[in-house]
Amino acid sequence: AVLFCSNSIIAQTYNGSIGVINDVAINDFPLLVSGLNPSTIDTIGFGLETICINLTHTYDSDLEISIIAPDGTSKILATGLGGGGNDYTNTCFNNSGLINITSGTPPFTGTFISQGYMGMVNIGQNGNGTWNLRVRDMAAQDVGNLLAWSITFGNAPATFPNLNFSFIWSSFFYLPLSLGYSGKPFEFTLAFALILAELSVIGLGFATTKKVF
């Protein structure tokens, strides 16, 4: 049964499967959500709030860790962090975190803001179904184990920025002209680089070498 308190829905937590993190491989660990009430998750009233993980690994920067929602939406929680450090121990991702996971150090104990916008799974989809924690090992030699992971839904759901894509789209065409673009490849490259810098500032991450949004 779902409990109500002061007009708020009590947080609902589900635990996922565990196992070996195979070397140079994509490792998916499923979690079945059933009976979620309300079933619709969004950024306003109720949705995905927290993801917590416990894993061992002898070279953290080998790892890319993502959450995959039932509708297939995938968002990166952490990727390429920690250098040669070990493990993610009692690591939680929540909008209330004081620092981004990129500023953390192994074993990343505590509550952090995820590297990508995990709130982008809260888009009005049905939260019931199979979720996956994807742990991709991107380099040879080091291995590990996923010891535990969970997701929590509540009335303080993860959010994401309100991005003005019409402004971005128009900038792609008009910024080169505003810079006096005369058709020379170098000038267009410079203009496009400025657009990428703009996208990076607002958090899309298009200008980075890894997909983190």
Side-chain angles (χ1 to χ4, degrees):
V2 178
L3 302 180
F4 293 84
C5 179
S6 301
N7 297 320
S8 296
I9 300 172
I10 298 297
Q12 300 165 59
T13 299
Y14 297 81
N15 296 304
S17 60
I18 59 175
V20 175
I21 300 171
N22 293 300
D23 199 19
V24 195
I26 293 175
N27 305 274
D28 286 347
F29 301 95
L31 180 157
L32 179 62
V33 172
S34 178
L36 187 67
N37 189 3
S39 60
T40 300
I41 57 175
D42 56 38
T43 59
I44 301 172
F46 181 78
L48 177 65
E49 196 172 274
T50 307
I51 301 170
C52 292
I53 63 174
N54 263 298
L55 65 81
T56 61
H57 197 276
T58 51
Y59 209 94
D60 280 353
S61 64
D62 283 1
L63 301 180
E64 180 178 88
I65 305 168
S66 306
I67 187 69
I68 305 175
D71 71 346
T73 302
S74 176
K75 295 300 164 189
I76 289 175
L77 304 175
T79 182
L81 305 179
N86 300 343
D87 309 336
Y88 281 77
T89 303
N90 297 324
T91 305
C92 291
F93 301 94
N94 185 295
N95 270 7
S96 68
L98 296 179
I99 62 172
N100 195 288
I101 189 69
T102 57
S103 298
T105 56
F108 301 103
T109 299
T111 300
F112 300 90
I113 300 168
S114 57
Q115 195 168 351
Y117 294 126
M118 75 179 198
M120 293 185 83
V121 302
N122 290 328
I123 53 174
Q125 67 172 296
N126 188 334
N128 289 297
T130 300
W131 294 71
N132 276 281
L133 185 74
R134 173 165 291 177
V135 183
R136 183 164 73 99
D137 189 303
M138 301 181 290
Q141 296 183 356
D142 295 270
V143 295
N145 287 275
L146 179 63
L147 305 178
W149 78 281
S150 66
I151 55 179
T152 298
F153 301 89
N155 61 358
T159 60
F160 56 90
N162 181 19
L163 304 175
N164 188 342
F165 285 100
S166 61
F167 171 75
I168 294 169
W169 183 249
S170 63
S171 294
F172 180 84
F173 291 101
Y174 294 115
L175 181 58
L177 297 178
S178 68
L179 293 176
Y181 171 59
S182 62
K184 296 179 181 179
F186 173 76
E187 291 181 9
F188 183 80
T189 300
L190 174 61
F192 189 63
L194 290 174
I195 295 171
L196 289 179
E198 175 185 302
L199 295 173
S200 182
V201 167
I202 64 175
L204 281 176
F206 291 161
T208 65
T209 57
K210 291 187 177 182
K211 181 181 177 184
V212 296
F213 57 97

